[in-house]
Amino acid sequence: MALRLVRTLALAAACSWNVVAAAPGVTVQLPGLVVPPSEASNKQKVVDVFVTSWNAYKEYAYGHDDLTPVSMSFVDSYGGWGASIVDALDTSFLMGETSIFEEAVEWSTSVDYNISSNAQVSVFETTIRYIGAMLVAYQLSGEKYPELVSKSVEVANKLSLAFDGSSPIHWGYVDFNDSVPITGATSNIAEQGTLTMEWVTLSNLTGNQTYADLALGAVTHIISLAAPLPGLPAQGIDPATGDAVGAYITWGGGSDSYFEYLIKYARLSNTDDNIFADTWATAVDTSMKVLAETSTVGDWQYLADWDTGTIIHIGSHLECYSAGNWLLGGKLLKNETIVNFALKHNDACWNTYASTATGIGPEAFAYFSPDGNYTDTSPSSGDIAFYERNGFFIQPGSEYYYMRPEVLESNFYAWRITGDTKYLTRAAAALDAFEVYLAAPVAYAGIDDVDATDSAFIDDMQSFWFAEVLKYLYLTFDDPSNISLDEYVFNTEGHPFKAPAAKSSYGSGSLQHPTGSFKVNPGTLPQVSPVPRLPNFLNPGQ
């Protein structure tokens, strides 16, 4: 415990947040970075996986949201507007798959987004997939297809009904067919804080400031709330009152992209309002002091969860995006303490891939730390043995891989920022593992157990397979001047927005401490990124 206290104090001292003046245009990406020619085959391999996935989707699920690659059918979870087509827009463009891109544009601009196949349409999921993809495709194509903006307006106008004036916080879902918000349920800060990049861009393109005002109003409201810990608001929030729900803190699902967009919006907008960058800096500073944990085996660097004073020694695939986000933010704030922490955390996230039988990481994991072993679960003897080998164990019930991008996303940032070729090696290893273990009857699918080489499949190929996983892999092996981190900012669905030239610095160098005492309000939190428990297609009799 004493050693941990010394380490924490030293880390806090190093993270003093004094911004040093620099020449105009802070640099994020390593200048002059070049991908070795030997990686060309991996780049082509990613394109091949994309085309294989697209062709299967087109044959069995075209016009629907997701392909079900085992049953060779489809599911509609995101409006029924062809989420995979829209989400694939910019990936196909960047890969030079022109015919697929033009086909996707034609589809995206012909859909009637006023009518939904779902009774409930998520404001968050629809924004990051549909609006994000269409606006980025418009930008990347040289503004060749203004209908993409028009259709984004169509979607946003319906989504704006979720802001019913009860508070600055919107309801999570809208009934598109009846044009009414679906009220009554609590929300979370990720749903609320992940509209700014898309809706402010839409305001800039249309001249209608309403979209920006709504999105920014929700974020600034969360920033203004008293929080359980400085810069770290509770995960839950009530749209009816605007008050926090519970006291749970995490960088994982339900909170993740709220934190992500604080620093990304600051960079994308180059706003002179330092509240966004300063709040992000406060969250990071507090996390280093309170949530930073190392494992007793392997000394892996993790970010714990927290609930009403209790440290919970767990992590997740979703939370592993934070390594890349901290790399970006650390560079923008010119704070190498953050960058170095992020690189170590990135290594810990990659270790969850490197330690399994398939070479693919699980949905959630746990570990023991010098300050405690509480993981909100009871590890079995097998879990403990796994931990003793690897410095983490897989959370019971979270053995699956749902084709998530976050570990490879952070690996992409680490490569672009450091130029260390070990990140290319890691990307290639993941790609090889995907080809072996995710190859379904058609296309690719998630798997139930990453530590079993004969795992059953999850019968769903989410649209973010196109938008994020394959894009981040492709850009890792592509010319680094393509979508440079100094010229583009990715939304949480992997869509790269064109950014203005960087400022010389971001944030004021001061931390944010909202006044008032935090009150724990009861309530039921929404399920985060639910995964349907589907039949075991590999062994139907089980």
Side-chain angles (χ1 to χ4, degrees):
M1 181 65 74
L3 288 175
R4 174 175 170 75
L5 178 62
V6 170
R7 181 184 66 83
T8 301
L9 292 175
L11 186 56
C15 197
S16 60
W17 305 103
N18 292 321
V19 176
V20 179
V26 61
T27 299
V28 172
Q29 187 164 297
L30 184 68
L33 185 62
V34 175
V35 174
S38 58
E39 300 297 337
S41 60
N42 284 319
K43 177 181 170 181
Q44 183 58 49
K45 190 183 296 185
V46 180
V47 175
D48 294 342
V49 171
F50 176 89
V51 172
T52 296
S53 301
W54 174 266
N55 287 341
Y57 167 80
K58 187 173 181 179
E59 180 174 357
Y60 297 103
Y62 196 78
H64 296 279
D65 291 337
D66 293 344
L67 167 70
T68 53
V70 178
S71 56
M72 302 179 205
S73 186
F74 58 82
V75 291
D76 285 321
S77 303
Y78 304 109
W81 301 309
S84 288
I85 301 174
V86 183
D87 242 358
L89 275 164
D90 50 340
T91 306
S92 60
F93 181 88
L94 294 172
M95 289 181 172
E97 295 295 328
T98 305
S99 61
I100 294 177
F101 173 73
E102 292 178 348
E103 181 180 355
V105 169
E106 182 177 359
W107 172 269
S108 302
T109 55
S110 65
V111 172
D112 182 357
Y113 295 101
N114 290 293
I115 302 172
S116 167
S117 65
N118 302 126
Q120 300 185 89
V121 174
S122 167
V123 177
F124 164 74
E125 299 286 3
T126 306
T127 292
I128 65 175
R129 282 169 167 79
Y130 290 98
I131 297 177
M134 288 192 285
L135 294 182
V136 164
Y138 172 72
Q139 292 179 337
L140 288 176
S141 62
E143 304 182 354
K144 182 179 178 181
Y145 303 100
E147 299 91 345
L148 291 167
V149 179
S150 300
K151 285 298 182 178
S152 296
V153 168
E154 189 175 302
V155 175
N157 285 348
K158 280 280 193 173
L159 295 178
S160 67
L161 297 171
F163 293 88
D164 71 346
S166 300
S167 76
I169 300 303
H170 63 77
W171 298 102
Y173 294 85
V174 171
D175 184 327
F176 267 45
N177 300 324
D178 291 338
S179 298
V180 294
I182 298 172
T183 61
T186 53
S187 182
N188 57 56
I189 60 173
E191 288 183 343
Q192 301 299 325
T194 317
L195 309 183
T196 53
M197 292 179 63
E198 299 85 358
W199 287 42
V200 172
T201 298
L202 189 59
S203 283
N204 292 339
L205 291 173
T206 63
N208 186 341
Q209 186 62 23
T210 301
Y211 306 117
D213 289 345
L214 291 173
L216 291 168
V219 176
T220 54
H221 176 78
I222 296 171
I223 291 172
S224 72
L225 293 175
L229 295 172
L232 297 174
Q235 182 187 59
I237 194 164
D238 185 353
T241 63
D243 295 333
V245 175
Y248 199 91
I249 291 173
T250 179
W251 280 78
S255 298
D256 44 9
S257 48
Y258 161 76
F259 297 118
E260 178 185 1
Y261 272 36
L262 288 173
I263 192 64
K264 286 186 172 181
Y265 172 72
R267 172 63 187 94
L268 182 64
S269 67
N270 276 351
T271 177
D272 291 327
D273 187 346
N274 289 319
I275 190 68
F276 304 97
D278 287 352
T279 301
W280 184 86
T282 305
V284 170
D285 183 71
T286 301
S287 297
M288 285 184 164
K289 295 172 181 174
V290 180
L291 305 182
E293 298 285 344
T294 56
S295 59
T296 56
V297 172
D299 199 35
W300 297 107
Q301 183 70 72
Y302 297 114
L303 279 176
D305 286 4
W306 184 97
D307 192 6
T308 322
T310 299
I311 291 288
I312 307 171
H313 299 81
I314 60 175
S316 67
H317 203 294
L318 284 166
E319 182 272 320
C320 281
Y321 90 94
S322 63
N325 187 244
W326 285 33
L327 286 170
L328 172 66
K331 283 295 183 181
L332 291 175
L333 272 60
K334 297 185 288 292
N335 189 309
E336 289 302 305
T337 300
I338 300 175
V339 172
N340 291 333
F341 182 100
L343 290 172
K344 291 180 180 179
H345 184 41
N346 184 65
D347 285 343
C349 286
W350 175 253
N351 182 54
T352 67
Y353 272 55
S355 301
T356 67
T358 62
I360 302 171
E363 179 74 359
F365 51 89
Y367 52 89
F368 306 138
S369 184
D371 74 340
N373 293 346
Y374 180 65
T375 62
D376 198 25
T377 189
S378 298
S380 66
S381 58
D383 293 333
I384 294 173
F386 190 98
Y387 173 79
E388 291 296 335
R389 295 193 303 271
N390 303 304
F392 75 96
F393 65 89
I394 300 172
Q395 280 278 73
S398 294
E399 300 87 355
Y400 58 90
Y401 173 65
Y402 198 39
M403 308 180 84
R404 296 203 188 278
E406 290 79 16
V407 172
L408 295 173
E409 173 186 354
S410 289
N411 186 74
F412 162 73
Y413 278 92
W415 157 245
R416 287 285 187 92
I417 285 170
T418 71
D420 191 328
T421 57
K422 74 179 181 181
Y423 302 113
L424 298 176
T425 301
R426 291 175 178 180
L431 179 58
D432 288 344
F434 291 163
E435 287 197 300
V436 172
Y437 297 109
L438 305 188
V442 297
Y444 299 85
I447 52 177
D448 277 340
D449 187 351
V450 296
D451 204 38
T453 57
D454 59 350
S455 173
F457 292 109
I458 298 172
D459 194 20
D460 188 12
M461 188 176 76
Q462 279 270 330
S463 69
F464 50 65
W465 173 250
F466 292 116
E468 297 185 82
V469 177
L470 298 181
K471 182 185 289 114
Y472 283 123
L473 279 172
Y474 179 81
L475 290 176
T476 300
F477 299 122
D478 194 24
D479 182 347
S481 65
N482 190 20
I483 313 297
S484 167
L485 293 179
D486 293 314
E487 299 174 0
Y488 291 85
V489 182
F490 290 84
N491 85 337
T492 198
E493 189 75 2
H495 301 302
F497 282 80
K498 181 65 177 174
K503 300 197 301 182
S504 61
S505 63
Y506 290 83
S508 69
S510 300
L511 303 181
Q512 292 292 322
H513 296 284
T515 58
S517 58
F518 176 75
K519 176 185 177 182
V520 178
N521 298 305
T524 302
L525 298 180
Q527 188 177 5
V528 175
S529 298
V531 179
R533 301 319 302 155
L534 297 163
N536 186 322
F537 286 101
L538 189 63
N539 300 296
Q542 294 185 2

